[in-house]
Structures are given as structure tokens and as C-alpha cells.
Amino acid sequence: AVVSTQSGHYGRGELGRHNYVTPTSYLELIYTYKNLLGKCRDKVAYQKKRYTVGLEKLDSARSQVSQMQLDLKALQPQLVVASKEVDEIMVVIERDSIEVAKTEKIVKAEEVVANEQAAVAKGIKDECDADLAEAIPILEAALAALNTLTPSDITIVKSMKSPPPGVRLVMEAVCILKGIKPERVNDPATGKKVDDFWKPSQKVLGDMKFLQSLREYDKDNVSPPIIKKIRNTYIPNPEFVPEKIRQASNAAEGLCKWVRAIEAYDRVAKVVAPKKAALAIAESKFAEAQKSLNAKRAMLKEVQDKLQSLRDKFEENTKKKKVPTATLR
């Protein structure tokens, strides 16, 4: 009745016509009302839930802040200790950094000295090698010539009753280098006593280790009077050359090459000897400088490791100082 009355009043007053309420429209009205009421209730419940959750989060945050404040208060003594340690370590780092810089400067200076001494030693060694490069090939060629000789070749020379002058000349030089004394014999032409090396030569040639003794000859320690005699008497002799000696005996040719090689090596060795002595001194100085340098490098590494350890500790304590602030955030 109320719906009908209000509907009629609305129709006549607002619309200027009659408005009739049917059961169907009435039911639709009730359905629409219930639907709107449900939506409003859901909206209110959702907003209420958000408000409740917000209050819970605020309460949780307040509780966490209170706990953080308690933690910060508990950490305050550690923060003070860490801050003090940081300051102390910083002072040590500054002091040790100066020490490291000084040590590095010393090491660099000694490296320069060591490199200079190494360069000097290398220069002298290169000179020695260059000088020896002249004699070594000659000596190697002579040893190669000896290696071509066989005991039968030596026996042929030994068995000569009247050896050619070239063979005698070579064996004289060999005997002189080996320190073999000549025999004093009568010269048929003058009747005077003269030096004769042939019989001593035959004894030398009869030694089974004759060729081996030549290969192992101590070429670095030839007596000065002996090498002087070889150099002054035999080397300038135009007959004392391998090409001419070959005409008399192939074995004697090899021995001639060996004598000339020993003289050439000695000549170069005399030039090289002072350089070798200088090289030994230079290498000794370099070894001492290198030893000192290694000691300084070890010292530098020790202080660098110590400094790095302090820096690591400084970084660790700096992080400790930052922990309370990070916790509050």
C-alpha cells in the first residue's frame, strides 16, 4: 500500500502520469536493493580489514623499533670500541705507509744498481765469448782431425826409421808441448852435441793413450816458456803448416793442426784471462747486490703484508661501525 501510494504520488507529481506497481517490478526492486546492500557491506568489510591490518603493522613496527633501540643501546659499547680501534689502526696505517714508501724507494734504487751490474757482467761475458769464438773453432777442428787418426796411423809414424823433416818438426812441437826432454846426440855434420826429439817421440807415440792425452790436454794452463817456444820457433816456420806436413804424413798433419790450435787458443786465452777475472769480480758484485736486493724485497713484502692486514682490519671495523645504522634502517 505504501509503495503504491508513493508511486502514484511520484507519477502524478513528477512524471504527470499514473505509475502502476506490479508484483514483478516490486520483486525486481527488492532484488536490486539486496544486491546494492551486499556490495556496500563487502566494501565496508574490506575497508575494515585494511584498517585492522594497518593497525597490526603499525603495532609490529612500533615493537620492532623498540627492539632496535634496545639492540642499538646494547651495541653502543662495541661501536665505541670499534671506533677507537679504527682511529688507532688509521694512525698505524699512516705510519706504516710511510715506512713502505721508504722501503720501496730503497728497493727500486737497489734494483737499478743490480741491473747495472748485471749489464756490466753481461758485457764482459759477451766480450769473452766473442774472443773465444776465434779460437774455439780452430781447437774443435784440430780435435776433429785427431779423431780421424787411428792407432795404426800412429804406429806408422812411430816405425819410421828416417822420418821426413816435416814429421820430425811436428813431433818436436808435440814433445815440447808435452814437456818431453830431447836427447843430446852428436851432429854428423859438425860433430857437436845437438837436441834430438825423435827417440823421445817414438816413446811418446808408443803410449797407448797418446791420442787420448792430446784430447785431454790442459790447454788453459800451458807453461809460458813452452808456449813461447812454440810461438817463436814453430808457428812462424813456413814448413810448419798442415798442407805441407800432409805431403810427409797424414797422421803428422793432424798433429800439426793440434799444435797450431793449442797455440791459437793460448793466444786468445791470454787476452780473455783478464776479462774472465773482471767477469768473476763483476759476477761476484752482482751476486752480492742480488742477495741484498732479495733481502730488501723480502722486507718490503713483509711490511706490505702487515699494511694489508691492517687495512683489512680497518675495513672490518669500519663495517662494524656501520652495522647499527644499517640495523635501524
Side-chain angles (χ1 to χ4, degrees):
V2 175
V3 173
S4 179
T5 302
Q6 292 296 327
S7 177
H9 175 73
Y10 177 77
R12 291 190 300 271
E14 299 293 332
L15 303 176
R17 64 182 175 81
H18 289 285
N19 187 39
Y20 298 99
V21 178
T22 65
T24 301
S25 61
Y26 182 68
L27 289 173
E28 288 180 353
L29 174 65
I30 292 174
Y31 175 77
T32 302
Y33 176 77
K34 285 177 66 179
N35 189 30
L36 289 173
L37 180 62
K39 288 182 178 180
C40 288
R41 283 176 176 172
D42 290 342
K43 184 177 180 180
V44 170
Y46 173 73
Q47 291 178 342
K48 180 182 177 182
K49 184 178 180 182
R50 287 185 62 190
Y51 178 75
T52 303
V53 171
L55 290 176
E56 290 175 353
K57 288 185 176 181
L58 286 174
D59 185 61
S60 175
R62 187 183 300 107
S63 175
Q64 290 178 1
V65 169
S66 299
Q67 184 61 44
M68 289 179 185
Q69 289 176 337
L70 293 174
D71 292 343
L72 178 60
K73 187 175 181 180
L75 288 171
Q76 194 65 29
Q78 299 179 26
L79 179 61
V80 173
V81 172
S83 179
K84 184 179 179 182
E85 288 182 353
V86 166
D87 294 338
E88 291 175 351
I89 293 172
M90 197 62 200
V91 173
V92 177
I93 288 176
E94 290 177 358
R95 184 189 65 220
D96 288 357
S97 295
I98 295 173
E99 182 181 349
V100 168
K102 288 181 179 178
T103 307
E104 285 178 344
K105 187 175 180 181
I106 293 172
V107 168
K108 287 180 179 178
E110 294 204 5
E111 281 180 344
V112 171
V113 173
N115 291 335
E116 288 176 352
Q117 291 177 341
V120 170
K122 185 179 183 302
I124 297 173
K125 185 177 183 301
D126 290 344
E127 287 184 17
C128 292
D129 292 342
D131 292 336
L132 289 173
E134 174 189 347
I136 294 299
I138 299 174
L139 185 61
E140 289 177 348
L143 292 176
L146 289 179
N147 290 333
T148 63
L149 300 180
T150 63
S152 61
D153 294 329
I154 301 302
T155 301
I156 291 173
V157 176
K158 175 189 173 185
S159 60
M160 290 180 178
K161 300 298 183 182
S162 299
V167 174
R168 280 183 172 273
L169 191 63
V170 169
M171 289 311 302
E172 284 179 17
V174 171
C175 286
I176 290 171
L177 282 174
K178 290 179 68 66
I180 305 299
K181 300 295 183 182
E183 288 187 358
R184 299 290 292 176
V185 298
N186 291 323
D187 185 356
T190 62
K192 295 181 180 180
K193 292 285 186 179
V194 294
D195 291 339
D196 181 68
F197 281 94
W198 184 242
K199 286 187 177 181
S201 297
Q202 288 179 314
K203 291 180 181 179
V204 170
L205 293 169
D207 185 357
M208 296 299 293
K209 295 183 178 180
F210 171 66
L211 290 175
Q212 181 181 345
S213 69
L214 299 186
R215 295 188 192 99
E216 298 175 354
Y217 189 77
D218 188 4
K219 59 186 180 299
D220 292 306
N221 296 291
V222 183
S223 172
I226 288 177
I227 202 65
K228 182 178 180 182
K229 187 171 182 62
I230 295 294
R231 187 167 292 138
N232 295 338
T233 304
Y234 296 92
I235 299 302
N237 190 333
E239 300 299 320
F240 193 77
V241 290
E243 292 76 12
K244 290 188 176 182
I245 300 299
R246 187 190 310 134
Q247 298 172 6
S249 167
N250 288 332
E253 178 195 6
L255 297 176
C256 178
K257 287 182 179 180
W258 178 79
V259 173
R260 297 187 72 90
I262 294 297
E263 185 280 329
Y265 180 86
D266 181 83
R267 178 165 27 87
V268 174
K270 292 294 191 293
V271 176
V272 173
K275 295 181 181 180
K276 282 187 175 180
L279 176 61
I281 295 172
E283 288 179 338
S284 176
K285 288 182 178 179
F286 172 69
E288 291 178 4
Q290 192 66 34
K291 182 179 179 181
S292 175
L293 177 60
N294 290 337
K296 293 295 191 303
R297 283 175 175 168
M299 184 189 305
L300 175 61
K301 187 178 185 306
E302 182 180 349
V303 294
Q304 284 177 334
D305 291 345
K306 180 182 176 183
L307 181 60
Q308 186 59 46
S309 176
L310 289 171
R311 284 174 176 164
D312 293 342
K313 190 174 181 181
F314 173 77
E315 185 176 351
E316 181 183 350
N317 287 338
T318 302
K319 288 180 181 178
K320 287 181 181 178
K321 287 178 66 176
K322 293 180 180 178
V323 166
T325 305
T327 305
L328 277 176
R329 290 177 184 171

